[in-house]
Amino acid sequence: MRRFPILDAWRSLAILLMIVYHFLYDLYIFGVLSASQLFSTPLNILERFICCSFILLAGACARFSRNNIRHGIVVLVCGTAVELGALVGGQVIRFGILQFMGISMVLYHFLGKYVQRWRPGILAATSAALFLLTGWWTGATPVPVGWLYPLGFTAPGFYSADYFPLLPWFFLFLIGTVLGGWCLRHQENRLLTRSLPGVLTWPGRHSLPIYVLHQPVLYGISYLIWGMKG
């Protein structure tokens, strides 16, 4: 898979911020932070930036990958492991970001050759419009059944600590593929070719194992410090 150091560094930043955010979330679980502190506007913006970064970068890398089915299945398996781990820790995750990205990679394997026929600007603008419209549509349309949540339609009482349904988020993934296409067309651009220190790119190159393993470690540390006091 083609790699660009600047994208690895962007993913490294997202990973670092995610670790910080999840540590704050653990502090909330153990009563160190209040709900008003964790779910404040600045931290909500931070959380959206982190997740949107991962999705855009996943879309970009889908343009570079030679085997999106294999990559998608690996990410899906990791997403399932995260969901099971969260269940052990007393949290409920249904169709979290890893499962979403895994499914999106598999879908793109089949749809990519058709999507790439669109002009990049038209694809980006259409995807942005559909992202907003489908986000509003699914949010305003509760359903009486519980099995449509992967598409974004939820029944009353649905809860997931991490939830990224195909609608609207697949359209943000497609915007990421536009970014990836731009990178492929401008491979000699100095922004893309400039070498960066390994400390900036290494986490981004190993983001999946870091994502899977960081929360059990953080939760364990938090439990030892604050949980055992309770």
Side-chain angles (χ1 to χ4, degrees):
M1 183 174 70
R2 185 72 168 88
R3 304 203 74 99
F4 298 99
I6 189 66
L7 298 186
D8 286 329
W10 180 6
R11 190 182 290 106
S12 294
L13 174 62
I15 282 284
L16 174 62
L17 294 175
M18 175 198 66
I19 291 172
V20 171
Y21 182 83
H22 283 170
F23 181 64
L24 295 176
Y25 188 83
D26 288 340
L27 296 185
Y28 162 70
I29 291 175
F30 291 107
V32 180
L33 289 183
S34 66
S36 61
Q37 290 174 315
L38 179 67
F39 301 109
S40 61
T41 298
L43 287 181
N44 286 339
I45 293 173
L46 176 65
E47 189 265 347
R48 288 293 98 174
F49 170 78
I50 295 167
C51 296
C52 289
S53 293
F54 282 136
I55 293 171
L56 288 170
L57 288 166
C61 289
R63 283 297 307 270
F64 313 150
S65 175
R66 297 179 180 178
N67 195 335
N68 276 305
I69 285 185
R70 181 174 64 85
H71 290 154
I73 291 174
V74 169
V75 174
L76 272 172
V77 170
C78 290
T80 301
V82 168
E83 292 196 7
L84 292 174
L87 189 62
V88 171
Q91 296 291 310
V92 176
I93 296 179
R94 288 185 282 181
F95 216 79
I97 192 168
L98 287 184
Q99 288 204 324
F100 159 75
M101 290 195 299
I103 291 290
S104 296
M105 292 172 191
V106 173
L107 287 175
Y108 192 74
H109 172 85
F110 297 102
L111 300 177
K113 60 184 177 181
Y114 305 107
V115 171
Q116 291 174 31
R117 295 175 184 173
W118 290 48
R119 292 184 178 180
I122 294 177
L123 176 59
T126 302
S127 296
L130 290 173
F131 176 77
L132 296 174
L133 287 173
T134 57
W136 168 82
W137 179 36
T138 54
T141 312
V143 294
V145 295
W147 49 269
L148 289 176
Y149 66 89
L151 295 177
F153 298 98
T154 58
F158 174 85
Y159 172 77
S160 177
D162 182 35
Y163 180 50
F164 287 85
L166 290 171
L167 300 178
W169 295 102
F170 185 68
F171 295 110
L172 187 64
F173 181 91
L174 289 181
I175 294 174
T177 68
V178 176
L179 170 63
W182 183 90
C183 291
L184 291 175
R185 292 191 303 274
H186 299 83
Q187 295 186 44
E188 304 307 316
N189 187 290
R190 289 185 62 187
L191 178 66
L192 298 176
T193 59
R194 181 174 299 171
S195 179
L196 295 174
V199 68
L200 297 180
T201 59
W202 188 90
R205 290 174 177 266
H206 302 85
S207 58
L208 188 56
I210 293 174
Y211 191 102
V212 172
L213 296 174
H214 82 283
Q215 183 62 332
V217 173
L218 289 178
Y219 187 89
I221 293 172
S222 300
Y223 177 79
L224 290 174
I225 297 175
W226 292 284
M228 294 185 70
K229 293 180 180 179

